Amino acid sequence: MSSKRPPRPGSARTSKAAASKAAKGTAAASRAKAGKPAESERKRDPQRVVTVTDIANAIGVSRATVSLVLRGSPLVHVDTRARVEAELKRQRYVYNRGAANLRRRTSSSVALVINDLANPFFAEFAAGVDEALGEKGYVTLLGSTGESPERQQAVLTSLMEHTPAGVILSPAEGSSAAQLHKVLDARANVLLFNRELSGADDWGFLGLDNQNGAQLATEHLISLGHRRIAFYGGHADSSSCRQRRAGHALAMKKAGLPVDAAWLIESAPNRLEAAARTGELFGDHAAPTAAVCYNDTVALGLMLGLLARGIQPGKGFAVTGFDDIPEAAVTTPPLTTLAANPRERGRQAAQLVLRQLDDGAAPGRTIAPVALSVRESSGARLK
């Protein structure tokens, strides 16, 4: 009986088998190289980030095609787009906007840094900024400083790492332009809002007509017969507070009325502190009969403080605000105030920043008008 002998090492059959095995190994390696290794690598390293190359290799298209889909380009065929989008979803791809910005040397975000997000005025302002930016395809990077210059430096340092196309900043009280320039370099597209800073002439500015507004409110109270009119709230070292105090003083001077230093009460521009300091209006000196308040939040706080003392706002004591936040019209009594339209001011701020970006417009100084809105808190007889 004959039996087959195993092939000797080095024989033709051995070489063919080895060659076949090597070819299969090479083909398998090629297939793996074509796109599947990314998944096995991610299984070994779950922290690995999915890349455009992973998506392209997985479905056999170019990186350029995947990039076009990510940018929403109409140049990609609808079927190819569907395949790419399905693979993006399957692999849970996250678009690295920061890297894209560096490649294109552009950004699709604008930083908005607010000094007091608890103030309804700034909440409305921020909503307006976000609306206007969204209409132009930009996203808002929001930061809040809580009136702290130190916190402001930290927030801006962090936001600038995202290379925003512009910065809208309502400075914290006590801000220094010199310190801000350390974070916001000369190339930064910056718009300051509400508070002016010495040494910041290279940045744009959007403010309210503070002096004229406070003058209108004071003249309104004088026309109602008031002669002892306080200016209540805010801090005198803030540019907006100084301007509003100046408007109050100008109206009093024009009417030949004195301004008693005891009637100039400082407080943080919030409701709680304004309510707590109400008693300072009623010391040993002749008490005022009316107050022009730094803003609506202060005015609402003062009205609470008056009620706690048994004084009816609008009857026993006249009060005006500044800003016309949504709550002003529905409080009891409704608040006489200067309408600044904060949401529209937010939209205006966004438009100014984008104009500087798109048209290369030089930073400028813009002052938005305000209008007196008379309601019951000032004691006016309304028709």
Side-chain angles (χ1 to χ4, degrees):
M1 179 184 285
S2 64
S3 62
K4 290 185 179 179
R5 287 197 232 168
R8 292 189 305 274
S11 69
R13 274 193 294 170
T14 304
S15 299
K16 284 181 182 178
S20 174
K21 189 174 182 181
K24 287 179 181 178
T26 302
S30 298
R31 284 194 302 273
K33 208 169 186 178
K36 294 299 180 186
E39 291 190 42
S40 59
E41 285 179 27
R42 281 199 304 282
K43 287 176 182 176
R44 292 194 298 271
D45 180 10
Q47 300 300 316
R48 183 180 177 277
V49 176
V50 179
T51 66
V52 168
T53 301
D54 296 333
I55 304 299
N57 287 342
I59 57 176
V61 299
S62 68
R63 292 178 75 256
T65 298
V66 177
S67 295
L68 287 172
V69 172
L70 289 170
R71 294 201 300 269
S73 171
L75 301 176
V76 182
H77 190 277
V78 63
D79 293 338
T80 304
R81 177 185 301 279
R83 289 173 56 217
V84 171
E85 289 175 344
E87 189 63 24
L88 289 168
K89 185 175 182 180
R90 191 182 73 80
Q91 294 202 38
R92 298 180 182 177
Y93 175 83
V94 177
Y95 186 50
N96 189 334
R97 192 172 298 279
N101 290 343
L102 288 174
R103 289 192 297 272
R104 301 198 309 265
R105 302 192 178 205
T106 61
S107 175
S108 58
S109 64
V110 171
L112 171 62
V113 180
I114 297 298
N115 55 300
D116 183 12
L117 267 180
N119 185 331
F121 175 89
F122 287 109
E124 284 289 302
F125 177 81
V129 169
D130 192 57
E131 285 175 3
L133 291 178
E135 289 168 5
K136 297 297 183 180
Y138 287 83
V139 295
T140 308
L141 304 177
L142 180 62
S144 178
T145 65
E147 296 288 18
S148 165
E150 294 75 20
R151 171 67 178 165
Q152 181 171 262
Q153 293 293 104
V155 168
L156 285 169
T157 298
S158 178
L159 290 177
M160 292 307 289
E161 293 175 0
H162 297 271
T163 62
V167 177
I168 300 170
L169 170 65
S170 181
E173 287 190 343
S175 292
S176 160
Q179 289 298 313
L180 289 172
H181 274 107
K182 293 179 180 179
V183 182
L184 306 170
D185 62 30
R187 296 169 296 170
N189 177 17
V190 179
L191 178 76
L192 299 182
F193 175 68
N194 189 46
R195 289 175 179 158
E196 297 184 79
L197 297 178
S198 177
D201 297 337
D202 52 332
W203 295 334
F205 176 75
L206 170 62
L208 305 177
D209 196 350
N210 291 311
Q211 181 168 322
N212 184 55
Q215 184 176 342
L216 288 173
T218 308
E219 289 172 347
H220 167 65
L221 293 172
I222 292 171
S223 74
L224 295 174
H226 295 280
R227 296 296 177 263
R228 299 193 302 275
I229 303 171
F231 186 93
Y232 193 84
H235 290 140
D237 58 355
S238 161
S239 66
S240 55
C241 186
R242 285 197 306 271
Q243 290 159 3
R244 294 176 193 183
R245 279 192 173 195
H248 165 260
L250 182 58
M252 296 289 279
K253 182 179 180 180
K254 282 185 174 182
L257 299 173
V259 177
D260 191 325
W263 301 342
L264 303 177
I265 309 297
E266 290 195 42
S267 83
N270 62 57
R271 195 175 312 204
L272 290 178
E273 188 164 334
R277 304 194 73 164
T278 304
E280 295 181 28
L281 290 170
F282 305 99
D284 297 332
H285 55 277
T289 60
V292 172
C293 292
Y294 171 70
N295 65 16
D296 286 354
T297 305
V298 165
L300 295 174
L302 174 58
M303 290 201 296
L304 289 173
L306 291 170
L307 287 169
R309 298 177 70 87
I311 301 171
Q312 182 67 39
K315 293 181 179 178
F317 194 98
V319 178
T320 70
F322 201 118
D323 291 339
D324 201 19
I325 60 175
E327 189 179 351
V330 297
T331 192
T332 303
L335 180 64
T336 293
T337 187
L338 280 305
N341 201 338
R343 187 174 291 244
E344 184 55 36
R345 296 290 75 76
R347 294 182 64 85
Q348 185 179 13
Q351 289 159 3
L352 287 169
V353 161
L354 295 182
R355 188 182 306 159
Q356 290 175 193
L357 180 69
D358 297 338
D359 303 339
R365 188 172 184 274
T366 304
I367 301 299
V370 296
L372 183 67
S373 180
V374 177
R375 302 188 182 111
E376 285 90 335
S377 73
S378 59
R381 292 180 180 177
L382 305 180
K383 293 180 181 179

